[in-house]
Amino acid sequence: MYKSSLIRACTACLALFILGGCSFISDPVSLMKNPEISAENETLRTFITLQIPKGAPLIRARDNDNTSLIRFVDLNNDGKKEVVVFYETPDQAVQLHGSIFENEDGKWVQKVTFDGEGKVLESLRFIDITNDGSIDIVAGFSRGDEELQSGLVVYTYHDGQLEKELEAPYSHFVMDDLNEDGLNDLTVVSLKRNELARMTTYQYEDGGFIELDKLELDKSVNNYYNVVAGNVAKDKKGIILDAASGSSSGYWYSEMIVMIDNKLTPVLNDDQTYKDIQIYSEDVNSDGIYEIGILETPKGWEHFSFDEIPWFNSYYQWDGKEGMTFVRQQYHDYKNRFFLNFFPPEWHNNVTIDTKSNKDEYLRFVMVDTNKTVAEIKFFSQQEWDKNHGGWDLLVRASDKIIAYKSYDVNLELNKNKKVESDVAPIERKGN
């Protein structure tokens, strides 16, 4: 803990990544500029434009953080990078296409052009999923209709030829090593509400993909709003599906699937992971293991209405057996304006929010055993802030309020969440 208020202030400022409307962050629209590219790449882009149909725009995958329209990848493991691009021809029967270019003696040559399997390039990954030492193309296509399943295609490229190694309908897919045999595998989740819900894990063997296993899931799920793969316990890989189910009132829970003896195996039940709002599974303590978030009521608020309660998000790790172990607790503002990540694990069940608090006006975080104040959040009008905000540090500027904080003998961290849950319209936001 930092005893000096100056050090605390500096530390908080350095750790301050606030959701929405910060005073020192410009309008996001004004920051949306085309990426700067080198003269060499600009020449390449001009060349590519001449090789594809006139007026056809280059595109990037919808779900990919990589903003590059031109991707450099060594697809055939010859030590030289090929160029992969996708483009649209909206006025043609086939509206989506890809093309691969190779550099031959200093000149780019178009080697392959191929049709996409839909109208929208949803996903694009480059990984050695066939485990032969060469990078493969994994592309997800859709018809642009959320009610229809998307199609996943795995392409390999050798000797100037592009081959489809796998085609499968999908809602989500992950690539990892679930059976931990040292080889990459591909797990596809297919969901069509009330008709189909299935997880299938594929691995490439002897010249083709085989099914390692298939698992039937709950057909009543509306959607999986978040899917992550990686370590779910110490030395154990798995997949977490954060699911939305039920009617308009909503029912949210998380499914955790691991592979045991090449069998996809659920390890937690819905009651253990139930939550009243969307909470995204993530690695909240940066230990390399994913946690599942649960909604918990602060002590003293048990008899208040749901909308009045300033809820805590508590994150748990699977214990590798049949239960879960507490890892960290956070306070998330229900309007996604900020969240507080300052609770040490040992404070679990010993920190609460004063019941005189109002989550839209003032919050006082206190220790249960001593009633000692450890942090405060206060909402100011602009006029109130301008008149007097002595002792309060700016947290975030919201549309009609200025939100400020105080912390007492605690290293208060105020972070921008990777994905933020809400009890109103679900919103997905990615951190920096």
Side-chain angles (χ1 to χ4, degrees), residues 160-400:
Q161 300 294 317
L162 189 73
E163 300 289 341
K164 291 181 184 179
E165 298 290 350
L166 177 70
E167 294 182 78
Y170 85 104
S171 302
H172 299 272
F173 70 94
V174 297
M175 294 174 290
D176 210 308
D177 178 13
L178 285 189
N179 62 354
E180 302 183 69
D181 64 351
L183 300 174
N184 288 327
D185 46 50
L186 171 67
T187 299
V188 176
V189 178
S190 299
L191 175 65
K192 192 171 183 181
R193 191 183 180 196
N194 295 326
E195 293 184 25
L196 172 72
R198 179 179 298 140
M199 175 184 288
T200 308
T201 299
Y202 300 91
Q203 193 168 68
Y204 195 85
E205 292 184 10
D206 300 325
F209 279 96
I210 64 168
E211 287 186 7
L212 288 181
D213 195 32
K214 183 182 294 183
L215 178 68
E216 298 299 322
L217 303 171
D218 182 3
K219 297 178 184 177
S220 68
V221 167
N222 295 337
N223 65 81
Y224 296 111
Y225 62 89
N226 182 47
V227 177
V228 294
N231 290 325
V232 294
K234 186 177 181 180
D235 301 323
K236 188 61 183 176
K237 299 268 191 179
I239 297 174
I240 301 176
L241 309 173
D242 293 328
S245 188
S247 62
S248 58
S249 59
Y251 178 88
W252 293 272
Y253 66 96
S254 298
E255 293 190 62
M256 182 181 291
I257 314 295
V258 301
M259 187 162 270
I260 301 174
D261 297 328
N262 277 354
K263 295 293 183 182
L264 293 168
T265 307
V267 294
L268 297 171
N269 61 57
D270 298 356
D271 291 339
Q272 290 174 286
T273 63
Y274 170 80
K275 57 213 77 181
D276 289 290
I277 63 173
Q278 288 187 8
I279 302 179
Y280 288 78
S281 298
E282 57 182 303
D283 180 8
V284 295
N285 62 344
S286 301
D287 67 347
I289 301 174
Y290 281 106
E291 288 83 36
I292 290 175
I294 307 294
L295 204 63
E296 292 191 354
T297 307
K299 286 189 176 180
W301 291 85
E302 291 81 4
H303 303 296
F304 286 75
S305 69
F306 184 92
D307 289 338
E308 291 179 293
I309 298 172
W311 297 94
F312 284 153
N313 287 5
S314 294
Y315 292 86
Y316 291 80
Q317 283 181 4
W318 178 45
D319 64 7
K321 299 176 183 178
E322 297 180 351
M324 297 196 295
T325 302
F326 173 79
V327 171
R328 175 165 289 183
Q329 194 169 65
Q330 299 173 345
Y331 174 75
H332 286 239
D333 174 64
Y334 77 108
K335 289 185 178 178
N336 305 324
R337 293 166 290 195
F338 64 92
F339 82 84
L340 304 184
N341 192 37
F342 70 91
F343 305 122
E346 59 269 20
W347 282 13
H348 190 219
N349 294 324
N350 194 34
V351 65
T352 189
I353 298 173
D354 180 19
T355 54
K356 297 183 180 64
S357 300
N358 181 313
K359 59 186 179 181
D360 274 317
E361 296 178 4
Y362 171 77
L363 294 161
R364 184 169 78 96
F365 297 84
V366 299
M367 303 304 294
V368 172
D369 54 356
T370 63
N371 202 40
K372 178 183 176 181
T373 302
V374 293
E376 296 175 276
I377 301 290
K378 186 175 181 179
F379 295 69
F380 292 81
S381 68
Q382 183 66 57
Q383 184 177 8
E384 291 170 336
W385 181 260
D386 291 340
K387 184 177 180 180
N388 180 22
H389 62 270
W392 292 91
D393 293 309
L394 176 66
L395 177 56
V396 60
R397 293 182 183 271
S399 58
D400 59 344

Side-chain angles (χ1 to χ4, degrees), residues 401-415:
K401 293 288 184 180
I402 292 176
I403 306 172
Y405 72 97
K406 289 181 181 179
S407 61
Y408 304 90
D409 295 327
V410 63
N411 183 16
L412 182 62
E413 297 177 21
L414 305 116
N415 296 315

